[in-house]
Amino acid sequence: MWILGKHVDEAALTLGKEIYNRDLYSLEDLKRLLETFYDMHWLWNSLIFENPSSIDKLYLFNELLDKRDDLNDIKEKKRELDVEKDLKQTDSAELIRKCFAENNPRFYQLITKSKFSD
């Protein structure tokens, strides 16, 4: 898959999801993947929607993503996904006010479903 991934984006994406999602693969495998397919925007974007097999993989992915100035669109999308996840679980009126103040329509539905909207 490593060789095929250099020629076929779908192979790199499949390999990326396997490495990110399965315990069978190490942090070194993930680091190698992200270095090998450094310029594959689609891979980086897809991984923000995946559930890593370990918190260490999440931290490594976030660390490498944060260093990239060319992936600001993915960083913003990931931030929104993280906020949405927090909103689904929150009982913090402060977080809800902060998210409402961002004037982001993606957050409004989640805010209206919060226990504070009653």
Side-chain angles (χ1 to χ4, degrees):
M1 287 294 260
W2 287 98
I3 294 169
L4 187 58
K6 292 179 181 181
H7 304 285
V8 180
D9 289 351
E10 289 82 358
L13 181 62
T14 299
L15 180 63
K17 288 181 178 184
E18 277 286 307
I19 289 172
Y20 198 55
N21 294 333
R22 304 218 26 222
D23 287 327
L24 179 66
Y25 299 97
S26 70
L27 282 176
E28 284 304 312
D29 293 324
L30 179 60
K31 186 175 181 180
R32 177 181 171 209
L33 172 90
L34 296 174
E35 288 172 352
T36 300
F37 302 106
Y38 184 83
D39 292 331
M40 189 176 291
H41 190 274
W42 186 31
L43 171 65
W44 288 82
N45 187 64
S46 295
L47 290 181
I48 67 171
F49 295 98
E50 296 295 317
N51 293 315
S53 61
S54 73
I55 194 72
D56 292 332
K57 286 183 181 179
L58 176 64
Y59 289 150
L60 176 63
F61 178 79
N62 287 342
E63 178 185 331
L64 294 175
L65 179 62
D66 286 343
K67 292 178 181 179
R68 302 281 305 265
D69 291 333
D70 58 327
L71 298 177
N72 287 334
D73 60 319
I74 295 173
K75 290 179 194 180
E76 180 58 24
K77 193 179 306 178
K78 183 175 185 325
R79 187 193 72 78
E80 287 181 353
L81 291 171
D82 291 345
V83 170
E84 286 176 6
K85 183 178 178 183
D86 290 345
L87 277 172
K88 287 178 184 176
Q89 303 171 21
T90 193
D91 59 359
S92 167
E94 181 180 333
L95 176 62
I96 290 172
R97 279 192 293 274
K98 180 181 173 189
C99 291
F100 186 79
E102 284 192 38
N103 197 27
N104 185 329
R106 293 183 65 166
F107 301 153
Y108 292 154
Q109 184 178 16
L110 295 169
I111 291 170
T112 61
K113 292 180 180 180
S114 76
K115 70 180 194 175
F116 294 104
S117 64
D118 297 332

